[in-house]
Amino acid sequence: MLLRRVARRWVSSVVVTAALLTGAAAFGAPRVVAEPPVGTGSSDGPGPAEPTVTPGPSRPSIDRVEPITDRLLKVFVKSPAMQRTVQVQVLLPRNRSAARPTIYMLDGRSAQPESNNWIDLGDAVRFYDDKDVNVVFTVGGPASFYTDWRKPDPVLGTNMWETFLARELPPLLNARFDGNGRNAVMGVSMGAEAAMMLAFRQPTLYQAVGAHSGCFSTGTDLGQAQARAVVATYQGEPDNMFGGQDDPEWLAHDVTLHAEGLRGKAIYVSVGSGIPGQYDVPGTPNVDVTSAIGFGGPLEAATNMCTRRLVERLEHLKIPVTSDFRPTGTHSWPYWADELRKSWPTIANAIGTR
């Protein structure tokens, strides 16, 4: 039994790492300045690096708000942690007569500098149209894991996302947009691991967490290799995130190791099998079938094993979890758009909204 577990851990981590590196080689490794457009069917396609910026502000504040529509806003926040002004996008509900919960939506590895793939590819704006919540979409942060890095990176810049998302941002948005202090966090791929990290590391901030197609074990040798591969595919230096191989920060961010920290939260996880499914066919919007099957298939198969390990750990600890292991499906946005709808009852019940 032990040997089987070790073998599964080894296979899943190797496949994740190999898929990332092979996918980057086959479909174009990211460049520092200009990259091809999104829309290959995987959240982890090429995307831009964070820009170099001048030293930032001394205290967090909202610098300005620019409307995209009457309800979707660009909000520019002066962040001491990030040492720059950071954009997030906020979707407000139709009815704004009362205070309401907030849902934070984290992007995947290919996070773009001016939008969020949940908006562009995940149908999130239409889905949340009739929901009584504020929705906050991260903008930027490719290959960052939305965490606090040990040091700035020459390519990926200053990444102090946990401090920004968990400490600086919520009070500002709650005050400006009538948040009631009840929160959920949700992510896909890299953002799925990031959402789970935030959920256990910030025990009082989030009442619910959703994680789709992620891996959750940075503290193991091969789990660390997977995370390092994500950073490296964007020309970042992995040591700048959590330090060298023996740095305790890798263990400190291991979700499976710290699964007890998720107790009391509503948890929803989902993943496909990697076998091509209903959306992996020619003509599906935002899906390049060659990329989805050749890159997204193996990657989703590996994240399936990662997700099973986390669910087994939660079940061993008797921590309730709602899981959706789809029999087919690749690492592609149409499946995650479906999971946004499937996860809603779990998330909505926990944060106290319809």
Side-chain angles (χ1 to χ4, degrees), residues 183-206:
N183 304 293
V185 60
M186 183 179 298
V188 61
S189 191
M190 175 198 80
E193 188 164 4
M196 285 292 192
M197 287 180 188
L198 285 169
F200 87 77
R201 289 173 58 83
Q202 303 293 328
T204 62
L205 183 58
Y206 307 103

mmCIF file of all heavy atoms in Angstrom, residues 183-206:
data_model
loop_
_atom_site.group_PDB
_atom_site.id
_atom_site.type_symbol
_atom_site.label_atom_id
_atom_site.label_comp_id
_atom_site.label_asym_id
_atom_site.label_seq_id
_atom_site.Cartn_x
_atom_site.Cartn_y
_atom_site.Cartn_z
ATOM 1 N N ASN A 183 -16.282 35.905 2.830
ATOM 2 C CA ASN A 183 -15.496 35.797 1.607
ATOM 3 C C ASN A 183 -15.326 34.357 1.155
ATOM 4 O O ASN A 183 -15.281 33.435 1.972
ATOM 5 C CB ASN A 183 -14.096 36.398 1.827
ATOM 6 C CG ASN A 183 -14.145 37.829 2.314
ATOM 7 O OD1 ASN A 183 -14.571 38.721 1.596
ATOM 8 N ND2 ASN A 183 -13.707 38.036 3.563
ATOM 9 N N ALA A 184 -15.176 34.193 -0.151
ATOM 10 C CA ALA A 184 -14.761 32.932 -0.748
ATOM 11 C C ALA A 184 -13.613 33.225 -1.692
ATOM 12 O O ALA A 184 -13.471 34.347 -2.198
ATOM 13 C CB ALA A 184 -15.915 32.278 -1.497
ATOM 14 N N VAL A 185 -12.777 32.215 -1.948
ATOM 15 C CA VAL A 185 -11.684 32.345 -2.902
ATOM 16 C C VAL A 185 -11.711 31.134 -3.823
ATOM 17 O O VAL A 185 -11.944 30.006 -3.376
ATOM 18 C CB VAL A 185 -10.322 32.491 -2.189
ATOM 19 C CG1 VAL A 185 -10.007 31.280 -1.310
ATOM 20 C CG2 VAL A 185 -9.208 32.761 -3.186
ATOM 21 N N MET A 186 -11.510 31.377 -5.119
ATOM 22 C CA MET A 186 -11.590 30.302 -6.096
ATOM 23 C C MET A 186 -10.485 30.482 -7.133
ATOM 24 O O MET A 186 -10.148 31.613 -7.494
ATOM 25 C CB MET A 186 -12.954 30.305 -6.795
ATOM 26 C CG MET A 186 -13.155 29.162 -7.787
ATOM 27 S SD MET A 186 -14.803 29.210 -8.563
ATOM 28 C CE MET A 186 -15.873 28.998 -7.133
ATOM 29 N N GLY A 187 -9.898 29.368 -7.577
ATOM 30 C CA GLY A 187 -8.852 29.452 -8.577
ATOM 31 C C GLY A 187 -8.830 28.245 -9.474
ATOM 32 O O GLY A 187 -9.424 27.204 -9.178
ATOM 33 N N VAL A 188 -8.114 28.389 -10.578
ATOM 34 C CA VAL A 188 -7.994 27.331 -11.565
ATOM 35 C C VAL A 188 -6.521 27.091 -11.853
ATOM 36 O O VAL A 188 -5.725 28.028 -11.917
ATOM 37 C CB VAL A 188 -8.760 27.707 -12.855
ATOM 38 C CG1 VAL A 188 -8.223 28.966 -13.499
ATOM 39 C CG2 VAL A 188 -8.750 26.577 -13.856
ATOM 40 N N SER A 189 -6.132 25.813 -11.962
ATOM 41 C CA SER A 189 -4.761 25.426 -12.290
ATOM 42 C C SER A 189 -3.813 25.999 -11.239
ATOM 43 O O SER A 189 -3.951 25.688 -10.063
ATOM 44 C CB SER A 189 -4.433 25.888 -13.719
ATOM 45 O OG SER A 189 -3.235 25.325 -14.168
ATOM 46 N N MET A 190 -2.839 26.833 -11.624
ATOM 47 C CA MET A 190 -1.974 27.468 -10.633
ATOM 48 C C MET A 190 -2.798 28.197 -9.579
ATOM 49 O O MET A 190 -2.488 28.171 -8.380
ATOM 50 C CB MET A 190 -1.041 28.455 -11.329
ATOM 51 C CG MET A 190 -0.159 29.268 -10.394
ATOM 52 S SD MET A 190 0.530 30.763 -11.164
ATOM 53 C CE MET A 190 -0.888 31.881 -11.058
ATOM 54 N N GLY A 191 -3.863 28.857 -10.007
ATOM 55 C CA GLY A 191 -4.712 29.583 -9.078
ATOM 56 C C GLY A 191 -5.480 28.688 -8.133
ATOM 57 O O GLY A 191 -5.903 29.127 -7.058
ATOM 58 N N ALA A 192 -5.689 27.415 -8.517
ATOM 59 C CA ALA A 192 -6.349 26.470 -7.607
ATOM 60 C C ALA A 192 -5.455 26.199 -6.405
ATOM 61 O O ALA A 192 -5.915 26.194 -5.253
ATOM 62 C CB ALA A 192 -6.661 25.173 -8.347
ATOM 63 N N GLU A 193 -4.168 25.944 -6.667
ATOM 64 C CA GLU A 193 -3.225 25.746 -5.565
ATOM 65 C C GLU A 193 -3.120 27.004 -4.724
ATOM 66 O O GLU A 193 -3.091 26.950 -3.490
ATOM 67 C CB GLU A 193 -1.859 25.346 -6.118
ATOM 68 C CG GLU A 193 -0.864 24.933 -5.056
ATOM 69 C CD GLU A 193 0.335 24.183 -5.629
ATOM 70 O OE1 GLU A 193 0.438 24.047 -6.870
ATOM 71 O OE2 GLU A 193 1.153 23.718 -4.821
ATOM 72 N N ALA A 194 -3.097 28.167 -5.390
ATOM 73 C CA ALA A 194 -3.010 29.429 -4.672
ATOM 74 C C ALA A 194 -4.227 29.657 -3.787
ATOM 75 O O ALA A 194 -4.106 30.125 -2.641
ATOM 76 C CB ALA A 194 -2.854 30.576 -5.661
ATOM 77 N N ALA A 195 -5.425 29.333 -4.302
ATOM 78 C CA ALA A 195 -6.639 29.519 -3.510
ATOM 79 C C ALA A 195 -6.609 28.668 -2.251
ATOM 80 O O ALA A 195 -6.976 29.118 -1.157
ATOM 81 C CB ALA A 195 -7.870 29.175 -4.365
ATOM 82 N N MET A 196 -6.169 27.407 -2.381
ATOM 83 C CA MET A 196 -6.076 26.535 -1.219
ATOM 84 C C MET A 196 -5.015 27.015 -0.232
ATOM 85 O O MET A 196 -5.201 26.939 0.991
ATOM 86 C CB MET A 196 -5.773 25.106 -1.670
ATOM 87 C CG MET A 196 -6.960 24.386 -2.267
ATOM 88 S SD MET A 196 -8.229 24.041 -1.025
ATOM 89 C CE MET A 196 -9.263 22.904 -1.947
ATOM 90 N N MET A 197 -3.897 27.518 -0.744
ATOM 91 C CA MET A 197 -2.875 28.084 0.138
ATOM 92 C C MET A 197 -3.460 29.234 0.953
ATOM 93 O O MET A 197 -3.304 29.293 2.175
ATOM 94 C CB MET A 197 -1.690 28.607 -0.679
ATOM 95 C CG MET A 197 -0.780 27.565 -1.283
ATOM 96 S SD MET A 197 0.538 28.424 -2.201
ATOM 97 C CE MET A 197 1.333 27.045 -3.030
ATOM 98 N N LEU A 198 -4.125 30.157 0.269
ATOM 99 C CA LEU A 198 -4.712 31.287 0.976
ATOM 100 C C LEU A 198 -5.746 30.831 1.997
ATOM 101 O O LEU A 198 -5.825 31.369 3.108
ATOM 102 C CB LEU A 198 -5.364 32.235 -0.032
ATOM 103 C CG LEU A 198 -4.420 33.100 -0.864
ATOM 104 C CD1 LEU A 198 -5.179 33.785 -1.993
ATOM 105 C CD2 LEU A 198 -3.719 34.135 0.003
ATOM 106 N N ALA A 199 -6.532 29.822 1.647
ATOM 107 C CA ALA A 199 -7.600 29.370 2.535
ATOM 108 C C ALA A 199 -7.063 28.824 3.845
ATOM 109 O O ALA A 199 -7.616 29.106 4.916
ATOM 110 C CB ALA A 199 -8.460 28.327 1.829
ATOM 111 N N PHE A 200 -5.969 28.033 3.799
ATOM 112 C CA PHE A 200 -5.481 27.484 5.071
ATOM 113 C C PHE A 200 -4.544 28.451 5.784
ATOM 114 O O PHE A 200 -4.432 28.427 7.017
ATOM 115 C CB PHE A 200 -4.837 26.105 4.881
ATOM 116 C CG PHE A 200 -3.374 26.087 4.522
ATOM 117 C CD1 PHE A 200 -2.393 26.318 5.482
ATOM 118 C CD2 PHE A 200 -2.961 25.800 3.225
ATOM 119 C CE1 PHE A 200 -1.038 26.276 5.152
ATOM 120 C CE2 PHE A 200 -1.619 25.755 2.891
ATOM 121 C CZ PHE A 200 -0.649 26.005 3.858
ATOM 122 N N ARG A 201 -3.897 29.342 5.052
ATOM 123 C CA ARG A 201 -2.963 30.281 5.674
ATOM 124 C C ARG A 201 -3.668 31.517 6.241
ATOM 125 O O ARG A 201 -3.088 32.236 7.050
ATOM 126 C CB ARG A 201 -1.899 30.692 4.664
ATOM 127 C CG ARG A 201 -0.907 29.562 4.338
ATOM 128 C CD ARG A 201 0.030 29.951 3.207
ATOM 129 N NE ARG A 201 0.792 31.148 3.496
ATOM 130 C CZ ARG A 201 1.920 31.166 4.220
ATOM 131 N NH1 ARG A 201 2.401 30.047 4.734
ATOM 132 N NH2 ARG A 201 2.561 32.307 4.419
ATOM 133 N N GLN A 202 -4.881 31.753 5.808
ATOM 134 C CA GLN A 202 -5.674 32.884 6.311
ATOM 135 C C GLN A 202 -6.961 32.320 6.918
ATOM 136 O O GLN A 202 -8.032 32.403 6.327
ATOM 137 C CB GLN A 202 -5.975 33.863 5.176
ATOM 138 C CG GLN A 202 -4.754 34.416 4.470
ATOM 139 C CD GLN A 202 -3.938 35.322 5.373
ATOM 140 O OE1 GLN A 202 -4.476 36.009 6.246
ATOM 141 N NE2 GLN A 202 -2.624 35.350 5.175
ATOM 142 N N PRO A 203 -6.868 31.721 8.092
ATOM 143 C CA PRO A 203 -7.964 30.888 8.598
ATOM 144 C C PRO A 203 -9.273 31.623 8.857
ATOM 145 O O PRO A 203 -10.332 30.997 8.859
ATOM 146 C CB PRO A 203 -7.389 30.305 9.896
ATOM 147 C CG PRO A 203 -6.276 31.228 10.277
ATOM 148 C CD PRO A 203 -5.701 31.743 9.006
ATOM 149 N N THR A 204 -9.233 32.935 9.100
ATOM 150 C CA THR A 204 -10.477 33.639 9.422
ATOM 151 C C THR A 204 -11.027 34.452 8.260
ATOM 152 O O THR A 204 -12.116 35.012 8.357
ATOM 153 C CB THR A 204 -10.259 34.590 10.618
ATOM 154 O OG1 THR A 204 -9.282 35.586 10.269
ATOM 155 C CG2 THR A 204 -9.767 33.816 11.838
ATOM 156 N N LEU A 205 -10.307 34.516 7.148
ATOM 157 C CA LEU A 205 -10.722 35.408 6.064
ATOM 158 C C LEU A 205 -11.758 34.785 5.147
ATOM 159 O O LEU A 205 -12.697 35.457 4.709
ATOM 160 C CB LEU A 205 -9.497 35.835 5.250
ATOM 161 C CG LEU A 205 -9.745 36.837 4.122
ATOM 162 C CD1 LEU A 205 -10.370 38.114 4.660
ATOM 163 C CD2 LEU A 205 -8.448 37.134 3.375
ATOM 164 N N TYR A 206 -11.610 33.479 4.839
ATOM 165 C CA TYR A 206 -12.470 32.849 3.840
ATOM 166 C C TYR A 206 -13.367 31.792 4.482
ATOM 167 O O TYR A 206 -12.903 30.971 5.262
ATOM 168 C CB TYR A 206 -11.618 32.184 2.753
ATOM 169 C CG TYR A 206 -10.604 33.103 2.130
ATOM 170 C CD1 TYR A 206 -9.253 33.009 2.489
ATOM 171 C CD2 TYR A 206 -10.983 34.064 1.190
ATOM 172 C CE1 TYR A 206 -8.317 33.857 1.918
ATOM 173 C CE2 TYR A 206 -10.043 34.910 0.622
ATOM 174 C CZ TYR A 206 -8.710 34.802 0.996
ATOM 175 O OH TYR A 206 -7.778 35.639 0.445
#
